[in-house]
Amino acid sequence: AVPPVPGEAFPAAGMAPPAVDASGQPVAPLADQPVAPPPIPGPDALAPAQAESTPAPAPAPAPTPKKKKPKLTMMQSLAVLARSEYLGLICALVLSYGLAIEFTEIMWKAVVKMAMPEKRDYMSFMGQYSTAVGVTTFLMTLVGGRIPKILGWKAGALATPLVIGSLSWVFYAYITFGGVQHSQRALKMAVIVGTVQ
């Protein structure tokens, strides 16, 4: 028989006696003993595991430096134009066109001012001229691209110099030999030819 523990009543009938150890001291049942929950790992404890499981990102490739286009000097540019037949011809075409337009336009505007001394008449004429130039430019944009396809690049490139050359000599002939300062008819013809040109 288990000796009673002082100050503790016997268990009721049908109940198991309390457990005791070898020295006779009562031992609390396992269910009554508080069980400490397992420690929850903190973020510092998880960081090494995550760092080990997550692969390190690959290093970004180094940006390739952009190649700088070499800048040619004036002499080097002229040497390139001299070596390339097509570039030389295009350069001659653009320079000739610009010079012809500048020389002819300066003289033509002087003749127009001579024919229309009133500022109102001059501005009205220049407005009509600008409108005609805009319409002609729009039409030539539609048609001009087909000229090199039909007649070839050479014909398309020679169209502008031929038109300027064929009309400029008539314009300068009226100015030089037509007596535009004394003849209203010659003055009007010079204005018309210069406008068409």
Side-chain angles (χ1 to χ4, degrees):
V2 178
V5 179
E8 185 175 341
F10 284 103
M15 294 183 62
V20 293
D21 58 3
S23 63
Q25 297 294 330
V27 178
L30 293 178
D32 295 340
Q33 292 181 355
V35 179
I40 300 174
D44 296 337
L46 293 176
Q50 291 179 353
E52 293 176 1
S53 60
T54 305
T64 55
K66 294 183 179 179
K67 294 182 179 179
K68 294 183 179 180
K69 295 182 179 179
K71 294 183 179 180
L72 301 179
T73 62
M74 187 66 176
M75 296 304 296
Q76 290 174 339
S77 301
L78 293 176
V80 170
L81 292 176
R83 286 195 301 266
S84 174
E85 179 182 0
Y86 292 105
L87 289 179
L89 291 176
I90 291 174
C91 179
L93 177 66
V94 171
L95 287 177
S96 301
Y97 175 75
L99 291 174
I101 288 295
E102 286 299 321
F103 292 151
T104 307
E105 189 172 0
I106 291 172
M107 294 300 297
W108 172 72
K109 285 185 177 180
V111 170
V112 172
K113 286 182 179 180
M114 189 184 302
M116 301 172 188
E118 293 291 332
K119 187 175 182 180
R120 180 180 178 182
D121 297 336
Y122 176 77
M123 295 302 293
S124 175
F125 176 80
M126 292 305 292
Q128 294 174 0
Y129 168 74
S130 298
T131 302
V133 168
V135 173
T136 306
T137 303
F138 176 73
L139 294 176
M140 290 305 297
T141 302
L142 299 177
V143 180
R146 299 181 182 179
I147 293 177
K149 294 180 181 178
I150 298 173
L151 302 176
W153 188 88
K154 191 173 184 179
L158 289 175
T160 301
L162 288 176
V163 170
I164 292 179
S166 61
L167 293 176
S168 63
W169 74 268
V170 179
F171 174 71
Y172 281 106
Y174 271 110
I175 294 176
T176 307
F177 307 109
V180 293
Q181 295 180 352
H182 308 290
S183 173
Q184 287 294 323
R185 182 176 180 276
L187 185 60
K188 288 182 180 180
M189 288 301 298
V191 170
I192 292 172
V193 173
T195 304
V196 172
Q197 178 185 350

